[in-house]
mmCIF file of all heavy atoms in Angstrom:
data_model
loop_
_atom_site.group_PDB
_atom_site.id
_atom_site.type_symbol
_atom_site.label_atom_id
_atom_site.label_comp_id
_atom_site.label_asym_id
_atom_site.label_seq_id
_atom_site.Cartn_x
_atom_site.Cartn_y
_atom_site.Cartn_z
ATOM 1 N N ASN J 1 201.999 156.893 208.906
ATOM 2 C CA ASN J 1 202.629 158.053 208.301
ATOM 3 C C ASN J 1 201.613 158.791 207.392
ATOM 4 O O ASN J 1 201.423 158.462 206.199
ATOM 5 C CB ASN J 1 203.820 157.610 207.470
ATOM 6 C CG ASN J 1 204.741 158.784 207.185
ATOM 7 O OD1 ASN J 1 204.296 159.976 207.244
ATOM 8 N ND2 ASN J 1 205.959 158.565 206.739
ATOM 9 N N ILE J 2 200.929 159.708 207.959
ATOM 10 C CA ILE J 2 199.905 160.481 207.267
ATOM 11 C C ILE J 2 200.293 161.921 207.021
ATOM 12 O O ILE J 2 199.589 162.650 206.408
ATOM 13 C CB ILE J 2 198.547 160.478 208.035
ATOM 14 C CG1 ILE J 2 198.688 161.197 209.372
ATOM 15 C CG2 ILE J 2 198.074 159.061 208.217
ATOM 16 C CD1 ILE J 2 197.376 161.377 210.087
ATOM 17 N N PHE J 3 201.496 162.307 207.499
ATOM 18 C CA PHE J 3 201.851 163.713 207.433
ATOM 19 C C PHE J 3 202.142 164.202 206.059
ATOM 20 O O PHE J 3 202.020 165.399 205.788
ATOM 21 C CB PHE J 3 203.114 163.965 208.368
ATOM 22 C CG PHE J 3 202.781 163.677 209.797
ATOM 23 C CD1 PHE J 3 203.523 162.688 210.468
ATOM 24 C CD2 PHE J 3 201.870 164.382 210.519
ATOM 25 C CE1 PHE J 3 203.260 162.428 211.842
ATOM 26 C CE2 PHE J 3 201.585 164.135 211.855
ATOM 27 C CZ PHE J 3 202.302 163.162 212.509
ATOM 28 N N THR J 4 202.460 163.323 205.146
ATOM 29 C CA THR J 4 202.701 163.759 203.769
ATOM 30 C C THR J 4 201.507 163.487 202.883
ATOM 31 O O THR J 4 201.590 163.608 201.653
ATOM 32 C CB THR J 4 203.932 163.128 203.218
ATOM 33 O OG1 THR J 4 203.877 161.710 203.271
ATOM 34 C CG2 THR J 4 205.178 163.614 203.906
ATOM 35 N N ILE J 5 200.378 163.073 203.473
ATOM 36 C CA ILE J 5 199.157 162.741 202.733
ATOM 37 C C ILE J 5 198.111 163.822 202.970
ATOM 38 O O ILE J 5 197.445 164.248 202.030
ATOM 39 C CB ILE J 5 198.627 161.359 203.159
ATOM 40 C CG1 ILE J 5 199.608 160.280 202.869
ATOM 41 C CG2 ILE J 5 197.289 161.108 202.388
ATOM 42 C CD1 ILE J 5 199.233 158.940 203.396
ATOM 43 N N TYR J 6 197.956 164.232 204.238
ATOM 44 C CA TYR J 6 196.880 165.212 204.565
ATOM 45 C C TYR J 6 197.483 166.535 205.097
ATOM 46 O O TYR J 6 198.627 166.546 205.591
ATOM 47 C CB TYR J 6 196.052 164.621 205.693
ATOM 48 C CG TYR J 6 195.390 163.293 205.344
ATOM 49 C CD1 TYR J 6 195.833 162.130 205.911
ATOM 50 C CD2 TYR J 6 194.349 163.263 204.436
ATOM 51 C CE1 TYR J 6 195.193 160.877 205.583
ATOM 52 C CE2 TYR J 6 193.693 162.063 204.118
ATOM 53 C CZ TYR J 6 194.147 160.895 204.699
ATOM 54 O OH TYR J 6 193.546 159.721 204.374
ATOM 55 N N THR J 7 196.684 167.534 205.070
ATOM 56 C CA THR J 7 197.059 168.781 205.823
ATOM 57 C C THR J 7 196.770 168.479 207.289
ATOM 58 O O THR J 7 195.742 168.086 207.700
ATOM 59 C CB THR J 7 196.183 169.946 205.305
ATOM 60 O OG1 THR J 7 196.457 170.202 203.975
ATOM 61 C CG2 THR J 7 196.471 171.196 206.141
ATOM 62 N N MET J 8 197.829 168.697 208.024
ATOM 63 C CA MET J 8 197.823 168.405 209.485
ATOM 64 C C MET J 8 197.818 169.750 210.243
ATOM 65 O O MET J 8 198.230 170.796 209.718
ATOM 66 C CB MET J 8 199.034 167.584 209.820
ATOM 67 C CG MET J 8 199.110 166.277 209.158
ATOM 68 S SD MET J 8 197.763 165.161 209.563
ATOM 69 C CE MET J 8 198.033 164.957 211.323
ATOM 70 N N GLY J 9 197.409 169.672 211.491
ATOM 71 C CA GLY J 9 197.371 170.867 212.301
ATOM 72 C C GLY J 9 197.681 170.642 213.735
ATOM 73 O O GLY J 9 197.564 169.477 214.246
ATOM 74 N N TRP J 10 198.115 171.732 214.389
ATOM 75 C CA TRP J 10 198.164 171.754 215.811
ATOM 76 C C TRP J 10 196.991 172.602 216.359
ATOM 77 O O TRP J 10 196.671 173.641 215.805
ATOM 78 C CB TRP J 10 199.503 172.385 216.286
ATOM 79 C CG TRP J 10 200.661 171.506 216.286
ATOM 80 C CD1 TRP J 10 201.641 171.414 215.318
ATOM 81 C CD2 TRP J 10 201.025 170.602 217.312
ATOM 82 N NE1 TRP J 10 202.520 170.426 215.677
ATOM 83 C CE2 TRP J 10 202.165 169.911 216.891
ATOM 84 C CE3 TRP J 10 200.472 170.193 218.541
ATOM 85 C CZ2 TRP J 10 202.812 168.973 217.652
ATOM 86 C CZ3 TRP J 10 201.095 169.258 219.291
ATOM 87 C CH2 TRP J 10 202.247 168.603 218.866
ATOM 88 N N TYR J 11 196.399 172.088 217.396
ATOM 89 C CA TYR J 11 195.279 172.732 218.005
ATOM 90 C C TYR J 11 195.574 172.993 219.488
ATOM 91 O O TYR J 11 196.451 172.381 220.049
ATOM 92 C CB TYR J 11 194.032 171.809 217.962
ATOM 93 C CG TYR J 11 193.540 171.357 216.603
ATOM 94 C CD1 TYR J 11 194.184 170.457 215.853
ATOM 95 C CD2 TYR J 11 192.353 171.983 216.103
ATOM 96 C CE1 TYR J 11 193.725 170.119 214.606
ATOM 97 C CE2 TYR J 11 191.865 171.590 214.883
ATOM 98 C CZ TYR J 11 192.568 170.709 214.080
ATOM 99 O OH TYR J 11 192.085 170.303 212.829
ATOM 100 N N ARG J 12 194.861 173.877 220.055
ATOM 101 C CA ARG J 12 194.955 174.087 221.539
ATOM 102 C C ARG J 12 193.585 174.403 222.136
ATOM 103 O O ARG J 12 192.714 174.942 221.441
ATOM 104 C CB ARG J 12 195.980 175.146 221.883
ATOM 105 C CG ARG J 12 195.609 176.569 221.505
ATOM 106 C CD ARG J 12 196.733 177.541 221.842
ATOM 107 N NE ARG J 12 196.400 178.882 221.504
ATOM 108 C CZ ARG J 12 197.244 179.902 221.621
ATOM 109 N NH1 ARG J 12 198.538 179.683 221.954
ATOM 110 N NH2 ARG J 12 196.838 181.141 221.262
ATOM 111 N N GLN J 13 193.446 174.048 223.377
ATOM 112 C CA GLN J 13 192.236 174.312 224.111
ATOM 113 C C GLN J 13 192.609 174.885 225.503
ATOM 114 O O GLN J 13 193.124 174.153 226.306
ATOM 115 C CB GLN J 13 191.325 173.106 224.214
ATOM 116 C CG GLN J 13 189.971 173.405 224.816
ATOM 117 C CD GLN J 13 188.965 172.264 224.723
ATOM 118 O OE1 GLN J 13 189.375 171.092 224.486
ATOM 119 N NE2 GLN J 13 187.737 172.557 224.788
ATOM 120 N N ALA J 14 192.261 176.136 225.683
ATOM 121 C CA ALA J 14 192.464 176.742 226.987
ATOM 122 C C ALA J 14 191.266 176.511 227.822
ATOM 123 O O ALA J 14 190.159 176.224 227.350
ATOM 124 C CB ALA J 14 192.682 178.244 226.819
ATOM 125 N N PRO J 15 191.458 176.594 229.217
ATOM 126 C CA PRO J 15 190.312 176.347 230.085
ATOM 127 C C PRO J 15 189.135 177.250 229.785
ATOM 128 O O PRO J 15 189.306 178.448 229.641
ATOM 129 C CB PRO J 15 190.920 176.665 231.467
ATOM 130 C CG PRO J 15 192.369 176.407 231.335
ATOM 131 C CD PRO J 15 192.700 176.806 229.934
ATOM 132 N N GLY J 16 187.977 176.671 229.648
ATOM 133 C CA GLY J 16 186.730 177.438 229.380
ATOM 134 C C GLY J 16 186.568 177.930 227.974
ATOM 135 O O GLY J 16 185.623 178.672 227.695
ATOM 136 N N LYS J 17 187.517 177.529 227.088
ATOM 137 C CA LYS J 17 187.429 177.999 225.686
ATOM 138 C C LYS J 17 187.295 176.819 224.746
ATOM 139 O O LYS J 17 187.635 175.645 225.090
ATOM 140 C CB LYS J 17 188.622 178.826 225.360
ATOM 141 C CG LYS J 17 188.751 180.094 226.103
ATOM 142 C CD LYS J 17 189.883 180.990 225.574
ATOM 143 C CE LYS J 17 189.922 182.306 226.279
ATOM 144 N NZ LYS J 17 191.008 183.198 225.820
ATOM 145 N N GLN J 18 186.868 177.063 223.487
ATOM 146 C CA GLN J 18 186.818 176.048 222.559
ATOM 147 C C GLN J 18 188.135 175.715 221.968
ATOM 148 O O GLN J 18 189.093 176.535 221.975
ATOM 149 C CB GLN J 18 185.915 176.489 221.360
ATOM 150 C CG GLN J 18 184.456 176.538 221.711
ATOM 151 C CD GLN J 18 183.528 176.788 220.467
ATOM 152 O OE1 GLN J 18 183.960 177.433 219.493
ATOM 153 N NE2 GLN J 18 182.316 176.280 220.539
ATOM 154 N N ARG J 19 188.314 174.464 221.457
ATOM 155 C CA ARG J 19 189.553 174.069 220.843
ATOM 156 C C ARG J 19 189.693 174.935 219.535
ATOM 157 O O ARG J 19 188.753 175.069 218.812
ATOM 158 C CB ARG J 19 189.496 172.575 220.504
ATOM 159 C CG ARG J 19 190.808 172.019 220.074
ATOM 160 C CD ARG J 19 190.965 170.529 220.335
ATOM 161 N NE ARG J 19 189.766 169.775 220.589
ATOM 162 C CZ ARG J 19 189.783 168.622 221.243
ATOM 163 N NH1 ARG J 19 190.958 168.098 221.645
ATOM 164 N NH2 ARG J 19 188.646 168.002 221.506
ATOM 165 N N GLU J 20 190.941 175.398 219.335
ATOM 166 C CA GLU J 20 191.159 176.220 218.130
ATOM 167 C C GLU J 20 192.411 175.680 217.397
ATOM 168 O O GLU J 20 193.319 175.113 217.910
ATOM 169 C CB GLU J 20 191.453 177.673 218.527
ATOM 170 C CG GLU J 20 192.646 177.875 219.429
ATOM 171 C CD GLU J 20 193.029 179.354 219.650
ATOM 172 O OE1 GLU J 20 192.620 180.195 218.821
ATOM 173 O OE2 GLU J 20 193.687 179.606 220.686
ATOM 174 N N LEU J 21 192.292 175.804 216.071
ATOM 175 C CA LEU J 21 193.423 175.424 215.178
ATOM 176 C C LEU J 21 194.412 176.553 215.109
ATOM 177 O O LEU J 21 193.992 177.672 214.743
ATOM 178 C CB LEU J 21 192.831 175.116 213.789
ATOM 179 C CG LEU J 21 193.862 174.686 212.688
ATOM 180 C CD1 LEU J 21 194.540 173.375 213.050
ATOM 181 C CD2 LEU J 21 193.056 174.448 211.379
ATOM 182 N N ILE J 22 195.669 176.317 215.405
ATOM 183 C CA ILE J 22 196.644 177.395 215.486
ATOM 184 C C ILE J 22 197.735 177.325 214.402
ATOM 185 O O ILE J 22 198.353 178.314 214.131
ATOM 186 C CB ILE J 22 197.241 177.552 216.875
ATOM 187 C CG1 ILE J 22 197.946 176.233 217.269
ATOM 188 C CG2 ILE J 22 196.221 177.932 217.896
ATOM 189 C CD1 ILE J 22 198.820 176.308 218.502
ATOM 190 N N ALA J 23 197.968 176.165 213.852
ATOM 191 C CA ALA J 23 199.027 176.013 212.870
ATOM 192 C C ALA J 23 198.744 174.828 212.008
ATOM 193 O O ALA J 23 198.234 173.776 212.468
ATOM 194 C CB ALA J 23 200.409 175.760 213.564
ATOM 195 N N THR J 24 199.027 174.907 210.703
ATOM 196 C CA THR J 24 198.778 173.879 209.771
ATOM 197 C C THR J 24 200.026 173.679 208.865
ATOM 198 O O THR J 24 200.818 174.597 208.693
ATOM 199 C CB THR J 24 197.614 174.175 208.836
ATOM 200 O OG1 THR J 24 197.800 175.408 208.144
ATOM 201 C CG2 THR J 24 196.301 174.231 209.605
ATOM 202 N N ILE J 25 200.123 172.468 208.316
ATOM 203 C CA ILE J 25 201.140 172.142 207.331
ATOM 204 C C ILE J 25 200.508 171.234 206.307
ATOM 205 O O ILE J 25 199.932 170.229 206.665
ATOM 206 C CB ILE J 25 202.407 171.554 208.026
ATOM 207 C CG1 ILE J 25 203.497 171.396 206.981
ATOM 208 C CG2 ILE J 25 202.139 170.267 208.759
ATOM 209 C CD1 ILE J 25 204.883 171.116 207.584
#
């Protein structure tokens, strides 16, 4: 259970592109 300790994020990686951070909490 780290969700209330650290800022967490959702990332995505499209084909041929770099992974990007799209949402944080």
Side-chain angles (χ1 to χ4, degrees):
N1 196 343
I2 63 171
F3 296 118
T4 56
I5 300 173
Y6 301 108
T7 296
M8 300 296 298
W10 279 99
Y11 298 76
R12 69 183 181 187
Q13 186 168 21
K17 295 189 176 181
Q18 288 190 331
R19 189 155 16 201
E20 61 173 336
L21 178 63
I22 58 169
T24 58
I25 184 166

